[in-house]
Amino acid sequence: MSIWTIFEGGQSMVSRKTWGARFSCFVGGFLARCRKNVHIDKTAMISPEAKICARNAELHIGKNSSVGAGAVVQGAVTIGENCSIQMYSIVSAYKQSPIVIGNNVRMASHCMMVSGNHNFDDPNKPIREQGMKYAPITIEDDVWVASRVNITAGVTIGHGSVIGAGAVVTKDVPPYSIMAGVPAKCIGIRGQKKEK
């Protein structure tokens, strides 16, 4: 148990409900803003136990957004307003392939998105020597990404979509889709009633 768990009253969500939680947010935001090329709105809530780093790019977190303990947000990442990145999720972007998250996006714990993949075509050469393929990731407004979801490089998730727990998203997702499975497939459209 860390000292921040005590200040936050054991809550997993970053908040400003108590003086301890407010102090924790203040420290988390201060530590993150000290890093080069990190731009965080003063209303955003950052856990002191989150890892925020722009690497060699620019990183932006918008108004009223939150990043939970153990989450990693690094590289060319833009997070809009009223978003939440929960505990132990990873959002990792490269300068040449940014990750852009719109407004009102909810990302549950243990999710992962990385905007690059290793090349591995040549079996006679170590993978580490074969370079990388880069492709941006975009999550449009009002999306819910449930726990343990993996979003691969090059994917766009359309406005208003829901990605079910444990899904692996390898292709673009149309707006208002409900996705589930490995690889993720559309199992419904929000607002459409199923016929009995």
Side-chain angles (χ1 to χ4, degrees), residues 52-79:
I52 311 283
C53 177
R55 295 197 292 197
N56 61 346
E58 296 273 330
L59 189 151
H60 299 266
I61 299 176
K63 291 179 183 177
N64 299 312
S65 288
S66 63
V67 180
V72 176
V73 180
Q74 63 183 8
V77 176
T78 299
I79 297 171

Side-chain angles (χ1 to χ4, degrees), residues 10 22 27 40 48 57 72 76-77 87 108 112 114 118 120 123 127 131 148 152 165 170:
R22 287 190 293 275
V27 172
I40 300 175
V72 176
V77 176
M87 298 176 73
M112 180 178 288
V114 180
H118 290 279
F120 54 86
I127 293 171
R148 296 178 280 100
T152 60
T170 59

Side-chain angles (χ1 to χ4, degrees), residues 85-138:
I85 310 296
Q86 293 303 319
M87 298 176 73
Y88 307 112
S89 285
I90 296 173
V91 180
S92 181
Y94 295 90
K95 191 173 187 177
Q96 54 272 67
S97 55
I99 293 175
V100 178
I101 297 173
N103 299 323
N104 302 303
V105 172
R106 312 322 268 167
M107 183 181 297
S109 60
H110 297 277
C111 292
M112 180 178 288
M113 60 179 82
V114 180
S115 66
N117 290 306
H118 290 279
N119 294 318
F120 54 86
D121 295 335
D122 186 351
N124 300 310
K125 189 175 182 182
I127 293 171
R128 68 180 178 82
E129 295 177 3
Q130 294 188 46
M132 300 276 291
K133 291 181 208 166
Y134 303 100
I137 296 172
T138 302

